[in-house]
């Protein structure tokens, strides 16, 4: 009789535990369903298929923004697209990475021979030597060397329209440098689809 009573009491004690187990199991299942829903939503939205942009992509994007020094739109290229430098991408700027921010390296190149022309409607002559600068890769300098004869012609065409009155203008040399740069880029783009000359500097400037 005592054994039956003990068994009955044990059954009564075990009964309250059963709903608790069911509640815990339901919570576990619910959490699994929520996690599966979140992962599925992220997968369908393409979250796992878009890698983070690289430093080169961010640099190229910054170069395309208005105000960033660059060549013309059809002259922009991306590093590694094509070794021959055609216009299906962008030429990479030379990047000297620092711990804090990317810095661009400048490359200068001085054309060896001077440019000598007569001023328009004058007996005076103007003699200059020029250097170009770029933040793009070596292909820009190589193209300047490659097309030196044609570049000399267009530079002198720009120079020879100068008059004596132009020399007295405060920004004459700055304006002349801009016109020479634009003419050089236009010619190189004609043959190479990319200019890349960002500035022209006079290393010698004589009028006599």
């Amino acid at each position: 009789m005592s054994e039956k009573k003990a068994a009955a009491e044990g059954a009564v004690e075990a009964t309250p535990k059963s709903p608790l187990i069911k509640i815990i199991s339901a919570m576990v299942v619910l959490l699994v369903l929520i996690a599966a829903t979140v992962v599925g939503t992220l997968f369908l939205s393409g979250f796992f298929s878009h890698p983070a942009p690289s430093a080169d992509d961010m640099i190229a994007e910054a170069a395309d923004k208005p105000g960033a020094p660059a060549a013309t739109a059809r002259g922009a290229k991306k590093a590694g697209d094509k070794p021959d430098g055609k216009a299906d991408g962008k030429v990479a700027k030379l990047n000297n990475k620092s711990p804090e921010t990317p810095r661009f390296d400048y490359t200068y190149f001085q054309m060896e021979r001077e440019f000598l022309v007569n001023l328009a409607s004058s007996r005076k002559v103007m003699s200059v030597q020029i250097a170009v600068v770029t933040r793009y890769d070596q292909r820009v300098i190589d193209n300047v060397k490659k097309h030196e004869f044609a570049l000399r012609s267009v530079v002198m065409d720009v120079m020879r329209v100068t008059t004596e009155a132009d020399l007295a203008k405060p920004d004459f040399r700055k304006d002349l440098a801009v016109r020479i740069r634009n003419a050089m880029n236009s010619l190189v783009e004609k043959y190479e689809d990319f200019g890349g000359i960002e500035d022209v500097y006079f290393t010698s400037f004589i009028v006599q």
Side-chain angles (χ1 to χ4, degrees), residues 132-167:
V132 300
V133 62
T134 182
R135 286 181 290 177
Y136 294 91
D137 62 32
Q138 182 62 29
R139 281 174 289 182
V140 174
I141 304 302
D142 292 342
N143 289 338
V144 171
K145 295 177 181 178
K146 178 180 179 181
H147 300 288
E148 179 182 358
F149 295 110
L151 287 172
R152 290 188 61 82
S153 177
V154 298
V155 169
M156 289 190 291
D157 286 343
V158 172
M159 291 173 57
R160 66 169 48 100
V161 299
T162 302
T163 65
E164 290 189 45
D166 291 331
L167 297 175

Side-chain angles (χ1 to χ4, degrees), residues 108-112 129-132 203:
Y108 292 87
F109 173 73
Q110 176 166 309
M111 302 185 75
E112 293 183 4
Q129 284 188 296
I130 65 174
V132 300
T203 57

Side-chain angles (χ1 to χ4, degrees), residues 5-19:
K5 184 177 181 180
E9 289 176 353
V12 172
E13 292 177 356
T15 301
K17 296 181 181 180
S18 187

Side-chain angles (χ1 to χ4, degrees), residues 14-51:
T15 301
K17 296 181 181 180
S18 187
L20 181 60
I21 294 174
K22 290 182 179 180
I23 292 172
I24 293 174
S25 300
M27 291 179 66
V28 171
V29 172
L30 180 62
L31 290 175
V32 171
L33 289 175
I34 291 174
T37 302
V38 171
V39 172
T41 302
L42 292 175
F43 181 80
L44 292 176
S45 66
F47 178 81
F48 299 106
S49 62
H50 296 286

